[in-house]
Amino acid sequence: YLFPERHTHTGCWDFVALKLRFTADPSLQSNPRRWLNLQEYQSKKLMQDSGVTVQRFFVAETPSAALEAARKLNAKEIVLKAQILAGGRGKGVFNSGLKGGVHLTKDPAVVGELANKMLGFNLTTKQTPKEGVKVKTVMVAEALDIARETYFAILMDRSCNGPVMVGSPQGGVDIEEVAAKTPELIFKEVIDIFEGVRDEQALRMAVNLGFKGPLERQAADQIKKLYDLFLKVDATQVEVNPLGETPEGRVVCFDAKINFDDNAEFRQKDVFAMEDMTESDPTEMEAAKYDLKYIGLDGNIACFVNGAGLAMATCDIIDLHGGKPANFLDLGGGVKENQVYQAFKLLSADPKVEAILVNIFGGIVNCAIVAKGITKACRELELKVPLVVRLEGTNVQEAKRILSESGLPIMAANDLDDAARKAVASIAKK
């Protein structure tokens, strides 16, 4: 945080733009992203431990445990939620025939019956694979009436060199839609990383969110506790939607999403130990072992690049030439020959891949190391698909010599446009 130029997370308005792009392009949603994701009940537990007001809840892994939890709650109404990482649970469908991953009931016995149709069955939503995701846990929570919904988030903003609060009195809906249609209803407060959230800032945000009378102070207290949580767990974002008020006059965090800084894993071992790997993509997990960032897409041209920006540009220009990227694989900066080999191993194992495009711009990256890794991978893996390589930057002449003297059928490209054209053409020739 003290060196914002080294902090790679986007600013808050870039964050909204990125969310819009991932929403607009379904191909970018085909696999979960690499960073840590927690189940809803885990995020609620972290908030609860920091003094943030959430609904009373229990977690169950069997129908009988869910029934017992419902009885223990002794609530007027109970909400039962299937716990998976994908969104759209409420409109999802189970392969047991049950419709909806979120159900309300006043009868504890019904909770047990519903849990029996959820646990052990696959839930399919608009964000899951076609076969759905197996539900292993359910959250049994006290259902509360919501008199009014607001939106509140704390996230890192590069332009402010630190965290900001973003809020709106329009909650319970997509914040991107609010920002686009009624930008005057988006309020922002810059937080001094050394001072933290000042009382007057928290109260001003509470007022902007529409809380009145004694609820102003209550909301301000919740805002300060959410910021304490933000710092405590090294979060990059804490998003509460909705932050609501009940008819009884309580301010409650009804739903929240927390993103964590992967660089802080060494000091957040308890948090990262909570990660549920069962829903992670196996290829993505394998890539992470070698410090490779991988996102699978739906096309047939594998992209092997260094740097997220260059990866996005490579995907775009492949699309421009009529092709479709099969993945987003970022080699990063401190490259080693074995990383290149493992990257090719991952890419060549994908049955959808019909060509591989390597696009490296060597600043920190030594192009010669990449070239050695490429030639090793081609020989040992007996690469069967066309390979197009574009290298520029540090030690590039040595890299080109290694490739040209290898005797391997590698197509060299002069620039990114040439590389994309050759990759697309190589598939068309088949």
Side-chain angles (χ1 to χ4, degrees):
Y1 300 124
L2 300 180
F3 302 96
E5 69 277 10
R6 299 181 192 173
H7 199 73
T8 58
H9 298 287
T10 58
C12 65
W13 307 118
D14 291 336
F15 157 79
V16 170
L18 281 171
K19 283 187 75 176
L20 283 169
R21 177 164 187 184
F22 272 85
T23 301
D25 188 348
S27 69
L28 295 177
Q29 301 173 358
S30 59
N31 282 309
R33 288 168 283 183
R34 184 182 169 208
W35 50 77
L36 172 65
N37 277 316
L38 295 183
Q39 300 284 4
E40 179 187 5
Y41 75 89
Q42 294 171 317
S43 295
K44 273 187 161 65
K45 180 67 167 59
L46 288 175
M47 294 168 71
Q48 194 176 55
D49 291 345
S50 293
V52 177
T53 302
V54 298
Q55 299 149 282
R56 292 185 298 123
F57 69 92
F58 293 101
V59 177
E61 297 181 354
T62 65
S64 59
L67 174 60
E68 183 62 25
R71 288 171 175 162
K72 278 185 184 178
L73 278 173
N74 192 28
K76 291 181 180 178
E77 194 169 22
I78 303 158
V79 58
L80 179 68
K81 291 186 174 185
Q83 295 298 285
I84 63 171
L85 295 174
R89 290 173 295 172
K91 296 181 180 179
V93 179
F94 287 89
N95 60 353
S96 65
L98 180 67
K99 293 183 179 180
V102 179
H103 287 266
L104 284 167
T105 181
K106 295 180 179 179
D107 185 355
V110 173
V111 171
E113 294 169 9
L114 290 169
N116 195 45
K117 296 177 182 179
M118 289 184 177
L119 290 165
F121 293 98
N122 283 19
L123 174 60
T124 302
T125 78
K126 62 182 179 180
Q127 292 185 13
T128 65
K130 290 180 181 179
E131 67 275 14
V133 174
K134 182 177 285 189
V135 175
K136 297 182 178 180
T137 56
V138 292
M139 185 177 76
V140 185
E142 174 187 27
L144 297 174
D145 291 329
I146 305 176
R148 198 174 62 85
E149 296 179 320
T150 74
Y151 172 91
F152 178 75
I154 303 169
L155 48 123
M156 298 304 299
D157 185 343
R158 295 186 71 177
S159 65
C160 298
N161 293 344
V164 297
M165 296 187 289
V166 179
S168 174
Q170 296 292 315
V173 296
D174 289 338
I175 192 61
E176 296 89 348
E177 188 177 328
V178 177
K181 293 182 178 179
T182 51
E184 70 277 6
L185 294 180
I186 301 289
F187 297 93
K188 176 180 173 181
E189 288 279 348
V190 178
I191 303 170
D192 186 306
I193 192 69
F194 297 106
E195 289 186 28
V197 178
R198 300 189 304 275
D199 286 344
E200 62 268 26
Q201 282 185 303
L203 282 168
R204 185 161 56 241
M205 179 59 76
V207 170
N208 287 334
L209 294 182
F211 291 103
K212 299 185 183 337
L215 290 180
E216 282 182 22
R217 171 53 65 184
Q218 196 181 144
D221 288 342
Q222 291 297 300
I223 287 169
K224 295 192 76 170
K225 287 175 180 177
L226 285 165
Y227 181 69
D228 290 341
L229 171 65
F230 180 84
L231 289 184
K232 178 182 174 182
V233 299
D234 285 302
T236 57
Q237 174 194 328
V238 174
E239 184 182 41
V240 181
N241 190 19
L243 174 65
E245 62 178 73
T246 69
E248 295 79 23
R250 295 173 63 203
V251 178
V252 179
C253 295
F254 284 95
D255 203 355
K257 180 176 181 179
I258 306 175
N259 289 347
F260 303 87
D261 188 344
D262 284 345
N263 297 310
E265 183 176 358
F266 72 97
R267 66 183 183 193
Q268 296 292 345
K269 296 189 185 300
D270 289 345
V271 172
F272 279 79
M274 297 165 68
E275 184 172 19
D276 183 355
M277 303 298 288
T278 59
E279 293 183 41
S280 298
D281 179 78
T283 306
E284 187 178 335
M285 290 170 62
E286 185 67 18
K289 292 179 184 178
Y290 304 99
D291 291 326
L292 299 168
K293 300 178 181 69
Y294 178 95
I295 297 176
L297 303 176
D298 296 329
N300 55 3
I301 299 177
C303 304
F304 179 34
V305 302
N306 64 312
L310 191 61
M312 294 298 282
T314 304
C315 289
D316 285 344
I317 203 160
I318 287 173
D319 190 70
L320 180 68
H321 284 285
K324 291 294 179 184
N327 67 274
F328 175 115
L329 194 151
D330 178 8
L331 180 64
V335 62
K336 296 176 183 177
E337 189 175 320
N338 185 52
Q339 279 181 299
V340 179
Y341 175 83
Q342 294 298 336
F344 268 83
K345 192 174 179 180
L346 288 170
L347 297 177
S348 60
D350 186 344
K352 300 196 311 294
V353 170
E354 297 182 43
I356 297 175
L357 193 163
V358 177
N359 183 24
I360 300 294
F361 189 86
I364 300 173
V365 172
N366 186 327
C367 290
I369 293 176
V370 175
K372 289 176 182 176
I374 290 172
T375 55
K376 178 185 177 183
C378 287
R379 289 192 179 101
E380 295 186 13
L381 299 173
E382 297 180 353
L383 197 66
K384 299 290 194 301
V385 298
L387 172 61
V388 180
V389 178
R390 180 252 183 168
L391 299 173
E392 285 296 340
T394 303
N395 221 2
V396 68
Q397 294 306 319
E398 173 65 10
K400 289 180 177 179
R401 182 192 65 77
I402 292 169
L403 295 178
S404 64
E405 293 179 1
S406 69
L408 295 165
I410 298 172
M411 290 180 275
N414 298 320
D415 52 37
L416 178 52
D417 189 66
D418 184 40
R421 188 183 297 111
K422 285 179 175 175
V424 174
S426 71
I427 293 175
K429 288 177 183 177
K430 289 186 175 183

